[in-house]
């Protein structure tokens, strides 16, 4: 990837991306792949009913323990129509946030690496779900979304085709898109008292 | 499911769950499955670099358009070690929040339906990821997490075995657990200008 990039114009900061540092980071990780091993963490605590809160701060990566600049705390709940108290969005809406923000972060980086200045990136995500699954009413209905659609509007100083290619490359290299389209093993351990 | 539940003790509000209304809702949806069709939405807007913000408010379900009681807005960003500005957690950390909160909402509901009073539910989630994938350094490394572990501590007025069964049932009926372990199709549409 670095070879391809250096064949293009010299990288410069763009779209709020420190492009030279981004490319230097990619090169550093290429030379020392153990720096690429990351472990992200979240600690969730039940509040009441369907309401819980998650704290996010520490993670491992780049060869050592890291901390976000501050602790981030997010609630999640069910809406009143699903007998929750609507203290926060539902868990499945946070999936849409994770997917949209991962694709959009990739668009910011890829555009900068390709020398494209972005003017606007907006996306609307919709996920269809039949709640007969989670309500235990049908074993033929899956619990999760059956499909998700993401519609992007992207504007920048490049031809439409090049802008569309940036969006395409972003999903080819998106961590959340990979998880949501391909799945992965989840291990659950329980300490009950 | 309602038959099984009515064989047990009469449902009463518990753990902050309005159990009678929850069971009535399940029965209503069982009688009229079109009420179970939901569509959740999120609108994301790029800010700069890897930072974007998502607005969540409207959704379709229970036979009509619904609104959360207020609009919820969340950022996402990359940390400075990944050349972001750390304005918010990463998209992959929001995946952990979605998974933890979905399992925990299920635990709250299932415990109430089974007549178990919960004292505490806490979970720590960890996801392992090799960033050589998203950095384009290796085609043999996937972009997303290779594995996630969720460790639950659950305390309540039931034997440990019964508490553990509640956690087990929660992942058998979790929308986010299903998405993350099984995946689903994502369609991406691009309007480039």
């Amino acid at each position: 990837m670095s070879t391809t990039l250096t064949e293009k114009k010299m990288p410069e900061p763009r779209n709020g991306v420190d492009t030279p540092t981004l490319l230097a980071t990619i090169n550093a990780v290429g030379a020392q792949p153990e720096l690429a091993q990351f472990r992200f963490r979240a600690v969730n605590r039940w509040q009441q009913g369907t309401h819980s809160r998650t704290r996010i701060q520490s993670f491992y990566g780049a060869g050592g323990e890291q901390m976000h600049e501050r602790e981030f705390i997010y609630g999640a709940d069910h809406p009143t129509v699903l007998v929750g108290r609507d203290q926060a969005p539902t868990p499945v809406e946070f999936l849409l946030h994770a997917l949209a923000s991962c694709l959009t972060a990739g668009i910011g980086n890829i555009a900068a690496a390709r020398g494209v200045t972005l003017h606007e990136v907006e996306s609307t995500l919709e996920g269809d779900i039949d709640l007969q699954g989670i309500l235990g009413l049908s074993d033929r209905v899956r619990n999760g979304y059956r499909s998700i659609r993401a519609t992007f509007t992207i504007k920048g100083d490049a031809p439409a085709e090049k802008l569309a290619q940036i969006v395409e490359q972003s999903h080819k290299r998106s961590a959340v898109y990979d998880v949501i389209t391909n799945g992965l093993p989840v291990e659950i351990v329980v300490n009950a008292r």
Side-chain angles (χ1 to χ4, degrees), chain A residues 22-36:
Chain A
L22 177 63
L23 299 182
T25 300
I26 293 172
N27 286 335
V29 174
Q32 213 177 331
E34 64 271 24
L35 297 178

Side-chain angles (χ1 to χ4, degrees), chain A residues 137-167:
Chain A
L137 291 166
S138 170
D139 285 331
R140 297 189 312 277
V141 173
R142 70 179 294 174
N143 295 316
Y145 287 126
R146 64 174 169 274
S147 63
I148 293 175
R149 285 169 310 290
T151 305
F152 277 83
T153 297
I154 177 169
K155 300 177 188 174
D157 71 351
E161 189 188 0
K162 189 164 185 177
L163 294 170
Q165 286 166 353
I166 290 169
V167 179

Side-chain angles (χ1 to χ4, degrees), chain A residues 49-132:
Chain A
T50 51
H51 180 210
S52 69
R53 295 175 81 199
T54 300
R55 290 179 292 122
I56 295 170
Q57 184 161 30
S58 77
F59 59 97
Y60 176 89
E65 281 294 317
Q66 309 285 344
M67 296 282 270
H68 284 294
E69 287 179 19
R70 64 181 181 88
E71 181 179 58
F72 298 106
I73 301 179
Y74 301 97
D77 199 357
H78 287 186
T80 52
V81 72
L82 295 173
V83 203
R85 294 189 190 177
D86 207 18
Q87 297 295 300
T90 61
V92 289
E93 289 169 306
F94 278 106
L95 277 184
L96 301 181
H97 169 50
L99 179 58
S101 62
C102 194
L103 293 169
T104 300
I107 290 169
N109 276 341
I110 294 162
R114 294 184 179 185
V116 173
T117 298
L118 296 171
H119 301 146
E120 180 187 324
V121 184
E122 188 169 280
S123 57
T124 299
L125 278 76
E126 294 187 317
D128 292 331
I129 187 167
D130 181 340
L131 297 188
Q132 291 182 92

Side-chain angles (χ1 to χ4, degrees), chain A residues 2-64:
Chain A
S2 57
T3 307
T4 311
L5 288 166
T6 51
E7 284 167 0
K8 307 191 177 194
K9 65 179 95 169
M10 282 296 287
E12 55 188 36
R14 191 184 301 269
N15 302 326
V17 176
D18 181 352
T19 323
T21 301
L22 177 63
L23 299 182
T25 300
I26 293 172
N27 286 335
V29 174
Q32 213 177 331
E34 64 271 24
L35 297 178
Q37 305 307 315
F38 275 63
R39 174 171 292 172
F40 289 103
R41 306 182 183 112
V43 178
N44 178 278
R45 199 168 170 83
W46 176 67
Q47 303 297 303
Q48 57 81 41
T50 51
H51 180 210
S52 69
R53 295 175 81 199
T54 300
R55 290 179 292 122
I56 295 170
Q57 184 161 30
S58 77
F59 59 97
Y60 176 89

